[in-house]
Amino acid sequence: MIIKSSELETVCGITSKLPAYQETEIAFAGRSNVGKSTLINGLLNRKNLARTSSQPGKTQTINFYRINDEFYFVDLPGYGYAKVSMEERAKWGPMIEGYLIKRSNLKAIFLLIDIRRKPNADDLQMLHFCQESDCETVIILTKVDKVKRSQVQKLRKEILSGLHLSADTRVFSYSAVTKQGRDEILDFVEALK
């Protein structure tokens, strides 16, 4: 797939009404600092369209990126960041769950997991939200350049086991440094449109 155009079109906060788009949407979910914005920028071949930060918890809204005037990438708020108040985090849950369950044009959810981290209770809860939607949940293992190549299959197996998923679950490995996995992910997106 060739990305010809991409722009941030809509930002929705806790009290915002979600836009009534008809085009295909693909959501990106994951823990704070897992690399959602970095992955979106990498897929789109852009440096700063999705705002990245070394400080976790930066994305606190649902951000809709219009791609090729055909479909949307949807960046969901990261979860599990301790410095965000409990009150604020409590509001995100219903907002994210409401988005995932009510969007009829949502075709896939990319659940990002840092390959160096074992899945925790927050990851399992997000996976549960994803599985309640009517679309495919795809695991994307991020930061694969930070582990030895010989470790990738072992860590992949441990993460799938920790999430209670079968070995035939669709999983992509992604590196923001080498762009490993970019073409495979975009091929998958192309098939969804």
Side-chain angles (χ1 to χ4, degrees):
M1 169 191 291
I2 297 171
I3 304 297
K4 298 174 192 144
S5 65
S6 54
E7 64 179 315
L8 175 60
E9 188 164 294
T10 305
V11 175
C12 293
I14 292 165
T15 60
S16 302
K17 186 176 179 193
L18 293 171
Y21 298 141
Q22 300 303 310
E23 296 88 350
T24 294
E25 293 177 1
I26 297 149
F28 293 74
R31 242 188 260 188
S32 291
N33 220 25
V34 74
K36 288 187 289 68
S37 298
T38 300
L39 172 61
I40 290 169
N41 286 332
L43 292 175
L44 300 177
N45 239 359
R46 298 277 301 264
K47 287 213 183 292
N48 297 309
L49 181 62
R51 292 187 330 177
T52 61
S53 173
S54 58
Q55 178 185 13
K58 193 75 173 167
T59 303
Q60 298 185 9
T61 53
I62 298 178
N63 299 328
F64 291 80
Y65 298 92
R66 187 168 181 80
I67 315 300
N68 291 348
D69 289 324
E70 297 175 343
F71 66 97
Y72 290 90
F73 281 167
V74 183
D75 190 6
L76 301 174
Y79 55 83
Y81 183 52
K83 288 194 179 176
V84 174
S85 74
M86 288 295 287
E87 183 180 318
E88 197 66 27
R89 281 190 283 164
K91 293 176 185 172
W92 291 352
M95 177 174 74
I96 294 169
E97 184 180 17
Y99 169 78
L100 293 174
I101 294 170
K102 294 176 184 163
R103 295 301 272 197
S104 60
N105 55 334
L106 179 61
K107 300 298 183 200
I109 304 163
F110 291 156
L111 179 57
L112 280 62
I113 305 285
D114 183 331
I115 196 165
R116 304 166 300 169
R117 310 276 180 251
K118 287 190 172 25
N120 65 15
D122 290 333
D123 295 315
L124 288 168
Q125 182 179 22
M126 179 55 73
L127 178 62
H128 176 72
F129 288 161
C130 295
Q131 290 171 332
E132 284 186 1
S133 72
D134 286 334
C135 61
E136 184 173 3
T137 301
V138 177
I139 305 300
I140 298 185
L141 303 175
T142 62
K143 307 186 183 189
V144 294
D145 51 278
K146 300 197 183 281
V147 298
K148 293 179 183 170
R149 285 184 105 172
S150 60
Q151 293 284 98
V152 171
Q153 284 306 315
K154 175 183 173 269
L155 294 170
R156 177 187 192 271
K157 198 179 278 187
E158 287 174 5
I159 288 168
L160 288 176
S161 175
L163 292 171
H164 312 294
L165 294 170
S166 65
D168 65 345
T169 300
R170 189 180 305 268
V171 179
F172 294 106
S173 298
Y174 180 75
S175 165
V177 175
T178 67
K179 300 294 186 250
Q180 174 191 337
R182 179 181 185 271
D183 292 342
E184 293 86 352
I185 295 168
L186 287 176
D187 287 346
F188 176 78
V189 169
E190 176 75 38
L192 290 174
K193 298 190 303 130

